Amino acid sequence: MKFSNDKVSDIQIAYIGGGSMYWAKNLIADLALDHQLSGTIRLYDLDFEKARKNEKLGNSVSDYPETKSKWTYKAYPTLQEALSGSDFVFISILPGTFQEMDSDVHEPEKYGIYQAVGDTIGPGGLVRALRTIPMYVEIAQAIEKFSPDAWVFNYTNPMTLCTQTLFEVFPKIKALGCCHEVFGTQGVLIRMLRDLKGIEDVHRDQVKVNVLGINHFTWIDQATYQNMDLIPLYRQFVDKYFESGFENNKDAWVTNPYTSANRVKFDLFRRYGVIAAAGDRHLAEFMPPWYLKDPDTVRSWKFGLTTVQSRIEKHAATKLFYEKLISGEEKLPLKPSGEEEVRQLKGLIGLHEFVTNVNVPNVGQMKGIPLGAVVETNAVFSANSLRPVYAGELPVEVNNLVLRHVLNQETTLKAAINKDKSLAFKAFVNDPLVNIDVIQAEELFETMLQNTKSYLPGWNT
């Protein structure tokens, strides 16, 4: 990297999963809109031709009049070439096809187990983890060999287990897991201030929150705006909207399977007194089947089950738009994605210091959770430094909910690395959503493993 006044050039970023049609567009736009950074994005993907397409798209943005920086995009055929000489590594991969995802999400429904997302925990999240962890073992080994000093940003789900695998394989890795779910809850608090206090134009940075938990099961026990304690106000907000729910667009959840009316979030606050800081679709999966008992129960809580068919349809629409971008028929809209990768880059480079939530190993910032387990808390970004902020401890009844999943995820990681089918089943049957007879659980587990066996080399399936 080269420094000149308040600008940094020649930054080398390896992007694993660089053939993406989704996150890549956000990254290209976010980088183009920042005037302080420039360099090279080194794209690597198992499908080299997809990486070549993003090379073309990324480089085309340099000619847009609104572009503020100069980035060169280059596809590399091997992971070694992409990683060698990189300052940063982004990992955003899709572990499997829609066929495996269909099994993750819908096979359990035959046994009365419903999942709103199926990519983090529950039977679908666990099996997805089993096929993702071997990929992350290879990635961690390659990073240790070819770019051991790079900062590594993980965006793949299951976030906790992917990040944990990186540290398990390469303990000295400088890695973090990045997720925007907490940002969404800060957005709810901003809309609360407008609704109850008439306060307009609040920026997310002005809503200070203390974050504790694990990815997609995060909690906020302190929230302030200009020294105003937001917890009592949130209690009023929950009471006002508990039955109706609260959305940007009324009843959007009815037709959009990726949104909700926040009723699960409100119910958890009423039960535990701390703010659940993820989307309802994720939060519901960490609990017993209170909210996911059946489709009618899901509808009563005003969120949707994200079917694989809806994902296929979304993928087809995205692919159509993406091909228009590649052909030049359409231009990539340059607007901020809402992600924080550029701010985090600038923090680690040393251009500024700031605090945000990330997923990193517990070194004592969160009490009540084993040391070394990956947790989601705030951390300070500064020059080549990431320092977790002391978050404290959740109420014991909430910590017990979180701890169960922490231990189950550690069991899953151990099972995946050792290819231990028996241990994997113990984690599977211990998930609160797998609320069925143990014989049925064995049948479901066997079927789901068979459906993903091509991603489980060396397993006795």
Side-chain angles (χ1 to χ4, degrees):
M1 292 184 288
K2 299 176 182 177
F3 294 78
S4 176
N5 297 324
D6 66 340
K7 295 185 178 181
V8 184
S9 61
D10 198 27
I11 303 166
Q12 301 294 310
I13 301 175
Y15 179 3
I16 302 173
S20 162
M21 295 191 303
Y22 297 89
W23 195 75
K25 300 197 306 297
N26 293 339
L27 176 66
I28 291 168
D30 286 343
L31 290 174
L33 290 171
D34 187 88
H35 72 280
Q36 289 184 287
L37 307 180
S38 62
T40 301
I41 306 297
R42 309 158 72 96
L43 303 163
Y44 171 76
D45 199 282
L46 293 176
D47 188 331
F48 181 62
E49 288 308 310
K50 286 185 177 179
R52 288 288 298 274
K53 288 183 177 180
N54 275 337
E55 175 186 294
K56 182 178 180 181
L57 176 62
N59 288 329
S60 71
V61 171
S62 294
D63 297 327
Y64 290 12
E66 62 268 43
T67 295
K68 300 177 181 179
S69 60
K70 174 62 178 176
W71 287 90
T72 301
Y73 290 78
K74 181 170 176 55
Y76 287 85
T78 69
L79 187 54
Q80 176 179 346
E81 290 174 277
L83 288 173
S84 298
S86 292
D87 304 302
F88 299 93
V89 179
F90 293 158
I91 313 172
S92 177
I93 66 173
L94 183 63
T97 68
F98 285 123
Q99 182 176 339
E100 287 77 34
M101 190 183 295
D102 187 80
S103 174
D104 292 347
V105 175
H106 297 302
E107 194 65 34
E109 293 176 354
K110 299 174 183 177
Y111 294 80
I113 300 172
Y114 293 90
Q115 302 164 103
V117 187
D119 71 355
T120 300
I121 41 85
L126 183 141
V127 173
R128 179 184 172 106
L130 294 181
R131 64 173 179 268
T132 310
I133 288 168
M135 302 177 190
Y136 267 67
V137 169
E138 292 186 14
I139 291 169
Q141 290 171 337
I143 291 170
E144 182 176 21
K145 187 173 183 179
F146 301 117
S147 53
D149 295 323
W151 281 97
V152 181
F153 293 52
N154 175 55
Y155 293 91
T156 306
N157 288 326
M159 171 66 66
T160 303
L161 277 167
C162 290
T163 307
Q164 189 87 53
T165 303
L166 295 174
F167 283 95
E168 181 75 16
V169 175
F170 179 16
K172 293 183 179 180
I173 197 170
K174 298 189 296 188
L176 56 146
C178 308
C179 179
H180 56 222
E181 290 289 317
V182 172
F183 305 163
T185 300
Q186 288 174 295
V188 171
L189 296 177
I190 289 170
R191 294 192 291 277
M192 175 191 74
L193 285 166
R194 183 186 308 130
D195 183 80
L196 297 186
K197 293 292 187 180
I199 301 174
E200 302 282 352
D201 300 322
V202 178
H203 189 272
R204 182 165 58 81
D205 286 348
Q206 296 174 291
V207 177
K208 308 296 184 183
V209 294
N210 186 53
V211 180
L212 311 93
I214 56 176
N215 185 241
H216 293 158
F217 202 41
T218 39
W219 301 79
I220 292 171
D221 66 349
Q222 298 174 39
T224 59
Y225 168 70
Q226 294 185 350
N227 296 321
M228 181 195 307
D229 184 356
L230 298 183
I231 299 295
L233 194 65
Y234 189 75
R235 185 170 290 108
Q236 297 176 34
F237 186 65
V238 168
D239 288 344
K240 180 178 179 179
Y241 290 105
F242 181 76
E243 294 297 336
S244 66
F246 185 85
E247 303 172 87
N248 280 338
N249 301 304
K250 183 174 172 54
D251 293 334
W253 67 272
V254 177
T255 55
N256 184 347
Y258 297 91
T259 190
S260 75
N262 292 301
R263 291 200 67 227
V264 172
K265 187 185 273 85
F266 294 165
D267 188 58
L268 290 172
F269 179 79
R270 279 189 164 185
R271 292 179 184 278
Y272 299 110
V274 285
I275 301 173
D280 282 13
R281 294 159 57 247
H282 285 299
L283 292 170
E285 293 185 330
F286 284 84
M287 303 302 295
W290 299 348
Y291 313 107
L292 287 164
K293 178 182 177 182
D294 51 45
D296 286 340
T297 300
V298 172
R299 281 190 290 272
S300 74
W301 287 101
K302 296 192 175 184
F303 67 100
L305 299 172
T306 308
T307 65
V308 174
Q309 182 58 38
S310 73
R311 293 179 182 273
I312 291 172
E313 292 168 2
K314 180 182 178 182
H315 179 78
T318 301
K319 185 176 181 181
L320 184 63
F321 175 63
Y322 183 77
E323 291 300 332
K324 290 180 179 179
L325 292 176
I326 298 302
S327 68
E329 184 179 344
E330 295 271 5
K331 283 184 60 178
L332 179 67
L334 292 191
K335 57 183 180 181
S337 70
E339 301 285 356
E340 282 203 327
E341 74 283 357
V342 172
R343 290 182 76 196
Q344 291 169 344
L345 282 172
K346 291 164 77 169
L348 293 172
I349 288 169
L351 291 175
H352 65 184
E353 182 174 294
F354 80 108
V355 175
T356 192
N357 58 291
V358 292
N359 294 267
V360 292
N362 186 23
V363 293
Q365 72 268 32
M366 185 172 171
K367 294 179 65 178
I369 299 297
L371 295 177
V374 168
V375 296
E376 186 161 350
T377 62
N378 286 332
V380 179
F381 284 72
S382 58
N384 199 30
S385 172
L386 182 65
R387 304 187 307 278
V389 173
Y390 180 74
E393 187 172 13
L394 284 165
V396 65
E397 62 273 21
V398 180
N399 197 72
N400 286 346
L401 296 172
V402 174
L403 182 59
R404 176 177 183 175
H405 289 289
V406 168
L407 298 177
N408 223 35
Q409 288 177 325
E410 295 206 345
T411 302
T412 302
L413 176 61
K414 185 176 179 180
I417 287 179
N418 295 316
K419 302 178 175 58
D420 189 330
K421 182 177 175 182
S422 173
L423 190 60
F425 177 70
K426 289 181 175 67
F428 184 89
V429 79
N430 192 47
D431 189 281
L433 285 185
V434 185
N435 190 26
I436 57 176
D437 178 87
V438 69
I439 302 302
Q440 290 183 309
E442 288 177 341
E443 293 173 356
L444 174 60
F445 180 68
E446 288 289 344
T447 300
M448 294 181 74
L449 278 195
Q450 284 298 315
N451 291 343
T452 202
K453 66 180 181 180
S454 62
Y455 292 85
L456 303 177
W459 282 67
N460 181 22
T461 57

